[in-house]
Amino acid sequence: PLAYLQETLMGKYGEEAKLIYELQDQGGELLALRYDLTVPFARYLAMNKITNMKRYHIAKVYRRDNPATTRGRYREFYQCDFDIAGQFDPMIPAPECLKIVHEILSDLQLGDFLIKVNDRRILNGVFAVCGIPESKFITTCCTVDKLDKVPWEEVRSEMVGEKGLSPEAADHVGEYVQLHGEHCGVEPLALLFQEGLGMNVAGQAPEVPVRVGSVAGGGRYDGLVGMFDPKGRKVPCVGVSIGIERIFSILEQRMKASGEKVRTTETQVLVATPHKHLLAARLKLISELWGAGIKAEMLYKKDPKLLKQLQYCEDTGIPLAAIVGEQELTDGVVKLRDVATRKEVRM
């Protein structure tokens, strides 16, 4: 469902909970619009006692965020999620998720991209070494996540000023999070890279010319299903979510830069008439085309000029015009015109 009891969504997103769209009292219930497709999926698994499932889901989600339409950031937008739920050997489903992301981004020809992989246990280990109390791991993690968008100085300021970390602990974290390197030797990640490389998902990491932020994100959420199960039964899950509008933003910017025209209709043929009083002929022909499964259109005008109808084909990229005039009706034929070459055949 689109709307949930607030208690279902609250407490699942950390600091991001402030972006949940809350609906006030609806007949005695406090409701909220879904923030993502992951929590609803976990709830569905628990409610139906499903312990093994593999699925994808494309639907709208809602966030009370500051829109930035040029970067594909909206308050109402589509996500495409795919998840693998079930008890499997470690790190076997994860490379499949990476493979799907790699395949989608490659097939859409978005340009070069970088897939970042992390194990939360590494980050928790870094926080522990830096002297951050366990109770502040999640809030510190939320702040560190902002490093993709803002410089370290701003992140450090938030950690000390808002999160209450000591300057020494913040500086210690800074030493770690600004490190860069190749494949990590930590066992689970080493296994993931080994499996992932076997699926041919490595090696794409150059700069991205069009910047809109991340287009996908995901990970494990082994404890989420248990939060909805009356007996606390856990179902390990791993999945990835792709932001569809983010991808549209990249495609639009790339096409604008190249001057490429986007065809916004699948219409195969426009039914046109060159003379007045031929609306009935147009309606009859378009009905026959629709009945044959051909994607056809006509202008919703009683007596449109032929030039205007052909111009509409050019503007929208419709490749063919099926023309019926008085002579064609007399001869029992249709004149089919290739809009691009202007060649005509009678049939």
Side-chain angles (χ1 to χ4, degrees):
L2 198 65
Y4 287 81
L5 292 173
Q6 281 183 23
E7 64 197 52
T8 300
L9 302 183
M10 293 304 177
K12 312 297 190 300
Y13 301 107
E15 288 188 347
E16 298 295 304
K18 63 180 182 285
L19 301 181
I20 292 175
Y21 258 108
E22 296 179 32
L23 305 176
Q24 292 311 307
D25 192 332
Q26 304 288 312
E29 292 180 326
L30 292 175
L31 303 179
L33 297 178
R34 64 185 174 207
Y35 177 88
D36 65 7
L37 302 176
T38 306
V39 170
F41 178 57
R43 173 182 172 272
Y44 174 82
L45 292 175
M47 191 175 73
N48 293 283
K49 297 182 175 60
I50 295 170
T51 57
N52 197 312
M53 188 177 185
K54 192 174 174 181
R55 76 89 171 83
Y56 74 90
H57 184 189
I58 301 176
K60 281 185 178 180
V61 298
Y62 301 84
R63 297 186 183 178
R64 198 190 295 272
D65 205 350
N66 293 322
T69 53
T70 55
R71 293 191 296 114
R73 195 178 189 94
Y74 300 90
R75 287 182 168 180
E76 175 187 48
F77 55 95
Y78 279 98
Q79 281 188 337
C80 171
D81 280 30
F82 43 91
D83 296 85
I84 302 172
Q87 190 72 55
F88 306 107
D89 287 341
M91 291 295 174
I92 294 180
E96 189 170 335
C97 292
L98 292 178
K99 175 69 177 172
I100 295 170
V101 172
H102 185 276
E103 195 173 283
I104 289 170
L105 298 181
S106 299
D107 286 358
L108 289 172
Q109 298 179 0
L110 299 180
D112 295 329
F113 54 87
L114 176 64
I115 298 174
K116 295 184 177 180
V117 182
N118 175 50
D119 191 311
R120 180 63 179 275
R121 288 168 291 189
I122 297 173
L123 200 55
N124 287 352
V126 168
F127 292 163
V129 167
C130 295
I132 294 169
E134 195 172 336
S135 59
K136 292 191 175 181
F137 277 11
I138 292 176
T139 56
T140 305
C141 184
C142 291
T143 303
V144 169
D145 273 348
K146 296 177 183 177
L147 273 173
D148 277 347
K149 305 181 187 75
V150 298
W152 164 248
E153 290 72 24
E154 287 184 40
V155 171
R156 183 188 182 280
S157 176
E158 183 177 310
M159 289 168 75
V160 176
E162 293 179 32
K163 303 300 166 65
L165 298 182
S166 69
E168 294 77 22
D171 289 336
H172 206 166
V173 170
E175 292 172 22
Y176 281 100
V177 297
Q178 296 185 87
L179 291 174
H180 296 280
E182 287 301 314
H183 301 164
C184 181
V186 179
E187 190 179 343
L189 270 186
L191 183 59
L192 174 60
F193 278 116
Q194 185 181 331
E195 302 291 344
L197 289 168
M199 283 186 142
N200 192 26
V201 297
Q204 299 226 177
E207 286 295 302
V208 182
V210 180
R211 294 205 171 275
V212 298
S214 63
V215 296
R220 298 201 64 86
Y221 49 102
D222 292 350
L224 192 56
V225 178
M227 295 174 78
F228 297 109
D229 191 289
K231 296 182 179 177
R233 287 170 293 207
K234 291 186 177 181
V235 178
C237 298
V238 61
V240 176
S241 175
I242 293 189
I244 294 178
E245 278 80 359
R246 290 280 176 96
I247 286 174
F248 283 175
S249 292
I250 296 173
L251 291 172
E252 284 172 353
Q253 289 178 50
R254 286 173 68 88
M255 286 179 167
K256 192 175 180 182
S258 67
E260 189 181 341
K261 201 171 180 181
V262 184
R263 189 176 174 208
T264 57
T265 176
E266 292 186 0
T267 304
Q268 296 164 288
V269 60
L270 183 86
V271 174
T273 45
H275 314 117
K276 291 184 177 181
H277 314 304
L278 291 174
L279 177 59
R282 269 191 293 155
L283 290 170
K284 182 173 183 292
L285 178 55
I286 201 168
S287 183
E288 288 180 16
L289 291 171
W290 287 340
I294 293 169
K295 296 170 184 174
E297 265 188 72
M298 61 178 241
L299 294 194
Y300 296 139
K301 246 179 119 84
K302 197 174 176 183
D303 296 312
K305 288 186 166 56
L306 182 60
L307 192 61
K308 189 171 183 179
Q309 295 170 89
L310 295 175
Q311 186 63 50
Y312 177 76
C313 289
E314 287 189 17
D315 292 344
T316 55
I318 298 173
L320 299 170
I323 303 168
V324 278
E326 290 166 356
Q327 189 61 52
E328 283 77 24
L329 288 172
T330 302
D331 297 345
V333 298
V334 172
K335 189 159 62 180
L336 197 64
R337 180 185 176 103
D338 185 312
V339 175
T341 65
R342 302 187 179 182
K343 288 182 179 176
E344 294 180 346
V345 292
R346 286 158 64 87
M347 42 198 312

PDB file of all heavy atoms in Angstrom, residues 13 18 34 44 53 101 103 119 139 156 169 207 227 233 235 243 286 293 296 315 326:
ATOM      1  N   TYR A  13      14.640   4.442   9.569  1.00  0.00           N
ATOM      2  CA  TYR A  13      15.475   5.222   8.660  1.00  0.00           C
ATOM      3  C   TYR A  13      16.482   6.134   9.345  1.00  0.00           C
ATOM      4  O   TYR A  13      17.123   6.945   8.686  1.00  0.00           O
ATOM      5  CB  TYR A  13      14.576   6.076   7.741  1.00  0.00           C
ATOM      6  CG  TYR A  13      13.628   5.261   6.916  1.00  0.00           C
ATOM      7  CD1 TYR A  13      12.266   5.240   7.205  1.00  0.00           C
ATOM      8  CD2 TYR A  13      14.078   4.496   5.851  1.00  0.00           C
ATOM      9  CE1 TYR A  13      11.382   4.487   6.448  1.00  0.00           C
ATOM     10  CE2 TYR A  13      13.213   3.739   5.089  1.00  0.00           C
ATOM     11  CZ  TYR A  13      11.861   3.736   5.392  1.00  0.00           C
ATOM     12  OH  TYR A  13      10.986   2.985   4.644  1.00  0.00           O
ATOM     13  N   LYS A  18      12.993  12.261   9.249  1.00  0.00           N
ATOM     14  CA  LYS A  18      12.402  13.609   9.165  1.00  0.00           C
ATOM     15  C   LYS A  18      11.849  13.890   7.766  1.00  0.00           C
ATOM     16  O   LYS A  18      11.094  14.846   7.570  1.00  0.00           O
ATOM     17  CB  LYS A  18      13.429  14.674   9.551  1.00  0.00           C
ATOM     18  CG  LYS A  18      14.642  14.773   8.647  1.00  0.00           C
ATOM     19  CD  LYS A  18      15.593  15.872   9.116  1.00  0.00           C
ATOM     20  CE  LYS A  18      16.797  16.037   8.193  1.00  0.00           C
ATOM     21  NZ  LYS A  18      17.781  14.968   8.363  1.00  0.00           N
ATOM     22  N   ARG A  34       4.712   5.914   2.074  1.00  0.00           N
ATOM     23  CA  ARG A  34       5.930   5.096   2.067  1.00  0.00           C
ATOM     24  C   ARG A  34       7.134   5.926   1.615  1.00  0.00           C
ATOM     25  O   ARG A  34       7.055   6.736   0.688  1.00  0.00           O
ATOM     26  CB  ARG A  34       5.747   3.867   1.177  1.00  0.00           C
ATOM     27  CG  ARG A  34       5.542   4.167  -0.279  1.00  0.00           C
ATOM     28  CD  ARG A  34       5.247   2.916  -1.084  1.00  0.00           C
ATOM     29  NE  ARG A  34       4.922   3.270  -2.458  1.00  0.00           N
ATOM     30  CZ  ARG A  34       4.161   2.551  -3.258  1.00  0.00           C
ATOM     31  NH1 ARG A  34       3.628   1.429  -2.831  1.00  0.00           N
ATOM     32  NH2 ARG A  34       3.913   2.942  -4.488  1.00  0.00           N
ATOM     33  N   TYR A  44       5.855  -7.152   4.165  1.00  0.00           N
ATOM     34  CA  TYR A  44       5.116  -8.142   3.376  1.00  0.00           C
ATOM     35  C   TYR A  44       5.637  -9.558   3.644  1.00  0.00           C
ATOM     36  O   TYR A  44       4.862 -10.499   3.804  1.00  0.00           O
ATOM     37  CB  TYR A  44       5.251  -7.786   1.892  1.00  0.00           C
ATOM     38  CG  TYR A  44       4.652  -8.806   0.953  1.00  0.00           C
ATOM     39  CD1 TYR A  44       3.289  -8.822   0.686  1.00  0.00           C
ATOM     40  CD2 TYR A  44       5.451  -9.756   0.332  1.00  0.00           C
ATOM     41  CE1 TYR A  44       2.738  -9.755  -0.181  1.00  0.00           C
ATOM     42  CE2 TYR A  44       4.913 -10.692  -0.534  1.00  0.00           C
ATOM     43  CZ  TYR A  44       3.556 -10.685  -0.787  1.00  0.00           C
ATOM     44  OH  TYR A  44       3.019 -11.615  -1.641  1.00  0.00           O
ATOM     45  N   MET A  53      12.421 -15.423  -1.274  1.00  0.00           N
ATOM     46  CA  MET A  53      11.763 -14.717  -2.375  1.00  0.00           C
ATOM     47  C   MET A  53      12.772 -13.856  -3.125  1.00  0.00           C
ATOM     48  O   MET A  53      13.711 -13.321  -2.550  1.00  0.00           O
ATOM     49  CB  MET A  53      10.639 -13.819  -1.838  1.00  0.00           C
ATOM     50  CG  MET A  53       9.772 -13.200  -2.922  1.00  0.00           C
ATOM     51  SD  MET A  53       8.421 -12.230  -2.191  1.00  0.00           S
ATOM     52  CE  MET A  53       7.523 -11.765  -3.663  1.00  0.00           C
ATOM     53  N   VAL A 101      22.914  -3.988 -11.305  1.00  0.00           N
ATOM     54  CA  VAL A 101      23.186  -2.549 -11.383  1.00  0.00           C
ATOM     55  C   VAL A 101      24.119  -2.256 -12.555  1.00  0.00           C
ATOM     56  O   VAL A 101      23.889  -1.352 -13.366  1.00  0.00           O
ATOM     57  CB  VAL A 101      23.827  -2.042 -10.071  1.00  0.00           C
ATOM     58  CG1 VAL A 101      24.284  -0.592 -10.231  1.00  0.00           C
ATOM     59  CG2 VAL A 101      22.839  -2.134  -8.925  1.00  0.00           C
ATOM     60  N   GLU A 103      24.633  -4.021 -15.208  1.00  0.00           N
ATOM     61  CA  GLU A 103      23.952  -4.302 -16.481  1.00  0.00           C
ATOM     62  C   GLU A 103      23.022  -3.153 -16.872  1.00  0.00           C
ATOM     63  O   GLU A 103      23.002  -2.711 -18.021  1.00  0.00           O
ATOM     64  CB  GLU A 103      23.151  -5.603 -16.321  1.00  0.00           C
ATOM     65  CG  GLU A 103      22.685  -6.208 -17.621  1.00  0.00           C
ATOM     66  CD  GLU A 103      22.046  -7.576 -17.377  1.00  0.00           C
ATOM     67  OE1 GLU A 103      22.777  -8.548 -17.162  1.00  0.00           O
ATOM     68  OE2 GLU A 103      20.809  -7.630 -17.362  1.00  0.00           O
ATOM     69  N   ASP A 119      31.363  -2.524   3.617  1.00  0.00           N
ATOM     70  CA  ASP A 119      30.797  -3.401   4.640  1.00  0.00           C
ATOM     71  C   ASP A 119      30.655  -2.576   5.914  1.00  0.00           C
ATOM     72  O   ASP A 119      31.633  -2.024   6.414  1.00  0.00           O
ATOM     73  CB  ASP A 119      31.719  -4.606   4.885  1.00  0.00           C
ATOM     74  CG  ASP A 119      31.041  -5.670   5.744  1.00  0.00           C
ATOM     75  OD1 ASP A 119      30.486  -5.303   6.808  1.00  0.00           O
ATOM     76  OD2 ASP A 119      31.074  -6.853   5.372  1.00  0.00           O
ATOM     77  N   THR A 139      24.257   7.731  14.062  1.00  0.00           N
ATOM     78  CA  THR A 139      24.228   9.159  13.733  1.00  0.00           C
ATOM     79  C   THR A 139      25.548   9.606  13.102  1.00  0.00           C
ATOM     80  O   THR A 139      25.559  10.431  12.185  1.00  0.00           O
ATOM     81  CB  THR A 139      23.941  10.009  14.991  1.00  0.00           C
ATOM     82  OG1 THR A 139      24.914   9.712  15.996  1.00  0.00           O
ATOM     83  CG2 THR A 139      22.558   9.721  15.540  1.00  0.00           C
ATOM     84  N   ARG A 156      33.046  17.408   9.557  1.00  0.00           N
ATOM     85  CA  ARG A 156      33.671  17.454  10.890  1.00  0.00           C
ATOM     86  C   ARG A 156      32.909  18.411  11.806  1.00  0.00           C
ATOM     87  O   ARG A 156      32.665  18.114  12.984  1.00  0.00           O
ATOM     88  CB  ARG A 156      35.126  17.907  10.766  1.00  0.00           C
ATOM     89  CG  ARG A 156      35.881  17.921  12.090  1.00  0.00           C
ATOM     90  CD  ARG A 156      37.254  18.574  11.928  1.00  0.00           C
ATOM     91  NE  ARG A 156      38.003  18.537  13.189  1.00  0.00           N
ATOM     92  CZ  ARG A 156      37.817  19.377  14.198  1.00  0.00           C
ATOM     93  NH1 ARG A 156      36.877  20.326  14.115  1.00  0.00           N
ATOM     94  NH2 ARG A 156      38.529  19.275  15.302  1.00  0.00           N
ATOM     95  N   ALA A 169      38.164  12.675  18.374  1.00  0.00           N
ATOM     96  CA  ALA A 169      37.518  11.521  17.739  1.00  0.00           C
ATOM     97  C   ALA A 169      37.157  11.838  16.290  1.00  0.00           C
ATOM     98  O   ALA A 169      37.353  11.014  15.387  1.00  0.00           O
ATOM     99  CB  ALA A 169      36.269  11.123  18.520  1.00  0.00           C
ATOM    100  N   GLU A 207      35.733   9.220 -14.304  1.00  0.00           N
ATOM    101  CA  GLU A 207      34.892  10.344 -13.903  1.00  0.00           C
ATOM    102  C   GLU A 207      33.578  10.332 -14.692  1.00  0.00           C
ATOM    103  O   GLU A 207      33.539   9.950 -15.853  1.00  0.00           O
ATOM    104  CB  GLU A 207      35.619  11.664 -14.178  1.00  0.00           C
ATOM    105  CG  GLU A 207      36.742  11.945 -13.195  1.00  0.00           C
ATOM    106  CD  GLU A 207      36.225  12.160 -11.786  1.00  0.00           C
ATOM    107  OE1 GLU A 207      35.401  13.066 -11.596  1.00  0.00           O
ATOM    108  OE2 GLU A 207      36.636  11.413 -10.881  1.00  0.00           O
ATOM    109  N   MET A 227      11.656  -7.305  12.604  1.00  0.00           N
ATOM    110  CA  MET A 227      10.989  -6.208  13.324  1.00  0.00           C
ATOM    111  C   MET A 227       9.469  -6.261  13.131  1.00  0.00           C
ATOM    112  O   MET A 227       8.718  -5.717  13.930  1.00  0.00           O
ATOM    113  CB  MET A 227      11.516  -4.854  12.840  1.00  0.00           C
ATOM    114  CG  MET A 227      12.984  -4.628  13.166  1.00  0.00           C
ATOM    115  SD  MET A 227      13.660  -3.119  12.449  1.00  0.00           S
ATOM    116  CE  MET A 227      13.015  -1.900  13.574  1.00  0.00           C
ATOM    117  N   ARG A 233      11.177 -13.602  13.980  1.00  0.00           N
ATOM    118  CA  ARG A 233      11.916 -14.478  13.062  1.00  0.00           C
ATOM    119  C   ARG A 233      12.587 -13.651  11.963  1.00  0.00           C
ATOM    120  O   ARG A 233      11.925 -12.854  11.301  1.00  0.00           O
ATOM    121  CB  ARG A 233      10.968 -15.503  12.436  1.00  0.00           C
ATOM    122  CG  ARG A 233      10.527 -16.596  13.397  1.00  0.00           C
ATOM    123  CD  ARG A 233       9.425 -17.442  12.814  1.00  0.00           C
ATOM    124  NE  ARG A 233       8.195 -16.669  12.659  1.00  0.00           N
ATOM    125  CZ  ARG A 233       6.971 -17.186  12.675  1.00  0.00           C
ATOM    126  NH1 ARG A 233       6.815 -18.481  12.835  1.00  0.00           N
ATOM    127  NH2 ARG A 233       5.913 -16.425  12.529  1.00  0.00           N
ATOM    128  N   VAL A 235      14.664 -12.946   8.386  1.00  0.00           N
ATOM    129  CA  VAL A 235      14.894 -13.425   7.021  1.00  0.00           C
ATOM    130  C   VAL A 235      16.002 -12.547   6.437  1.00  0.00           C
ATOM    131  O   VAL A 235      15.794 -11.350   6.223  1.00  0.00           O
ATOM    132  CB  VAL A 235      13.624 -13.316   6.147  1.00  0.00           C
ATOM    133  CG1 VAL A 235      13.930 -13.769   4.717  1.00  0.00           C
ATOM    134  CG2 VAL A 235      12.485 -14.141   6.730  1.00  0.00           C
ATOM    135  N   GLY A 243      17.131   4.896  -8.674  1.00  0.00           N
ATOM    136  CA  GLY A 243      16.278   6.078  -8.812  1.00  0.00           C
ATOM    137  C   GLY A 243      16.037   6.380 -10.276  1.00  0.00           C
ATOM    138  O   GLY A 243      16.964   6.739 -11.007  1.00  0.00           O
ATOM    139  N   ILE A 286      -8.614   4.793 -39.206  1.00  0.00           N
ATOM    140  CA  ILE A 286      -7.877   4.662 -37.947  1.00  0.00           C
ATOM    141  C   ILE A 286      -8.436   3.517 -37.116  1.00  0.00           C
ATOM    142  O   ILE A 286      -7.705   2.808 -36.426  1.00  0.00           O
ATOM    143  CB  ILE A 286      -7.867   5.994 -37.151  1.00  0.00           C
ATOM    144  CG1 ILE A 286      -6.692   5.984 -36.160  1.00  0.00           C
ATOM    145  CG2 ILE A 286      -9.176   6.244 -36.412  1.00  0.00           C
ATOM    146  CD1 ILE A 286      -6.397   7.334 -35.530  1.00  0.00           C
ATOM    147  N   GLY A 293      -3.876  -3.772 -34.612  1.00  0.00           N
ATOM    148  CA  GLY A 293      -2.763  -3.665 -33.673  1.00  0.00           C
ATOM    149  C   GLY A 293      -1.694  -2.680 -34.088  1.00  0.00           C
ATOM    150  O   GLY A 293      -0.568  -2.726 -33.601  1.00  0.00           O
ATOM    151  N   ALA A 296      -1.708   4.043 -34.216  1.00  0.00           N
ATOM    152  CA  ALA A 296      -2.091   5.116 -35.135  1.00  0.00           C
ATOM    153  C   ALA A 296      -2.663   6.313 -34.381  1.00  0.00           C
ATOM    154  O   ALA A 296      -3.212   6.180 -33.303  1.00  0.00           O
ATOM    155  CB  ALA A 296      -3.117   4.596 -36.142  1.00  0.00           C
ATOM    156  N   ASP A 315       7.389  16.829 -36.317  1.00  0.00           N
ATOM    157  CA  ASP A 315       7.664  17.320 -34.965  1.00  0.00           C
ATOM    158  C   ASP A 315       7.716  16.188 -33.935  1.00  0.00           C
ATOM    159  O   ASP A 315       8.495  16.239 -32.975  1.00  0.00           O
ATOM    160  CB  ASP A 315       6.597  18.334 -34.541  1.00  0.00           C
ATOM    161  CG  ASP A 315       6.689  19.616 -35.359  1.00  0.00           C
ATOM    162  OD1 ASP A 315       7.724  19.835 -36.013  1.00  0.00           O
ATOM    163  OD2 ASP A 315       5.708  20.400 -35.345  1.00  0.00           O
ATOM    164  N   GLU A 326     -10.301  12.250 -51.690  1.00  0.00           N
ATOM    165  CA  GLU A 326     -11.476  11.850 -52.478  1.00  0.00           C
ATOM    166  C   GLU A 326     -11.108  10.838 -53.547  1.00  0.00           C
ATOM    167  O   GLU A 326     -11.835   9.863 -53.790  1.00  0.00           O
ATOM    168  CB  GLU A 326     -12.119  13.099 -53.098  1.00  0.00           C
ATOM    169  CG  GLU A 326     -12.796  13.986 -52.046  1.00  0.00           C
ATOM    170  CD  GLU A 326     -13.126  15.370 -52.571  1.00  0.00           C
ATOM    171  OE1 GLU A 326     -12.757  15.657 -53.734  1.00  0.00           O
ATOM    172  OE2 GLU A 326     -13.717  16.151 -51.814  1.00  0.00           O
TER     173      GLU A 326
END
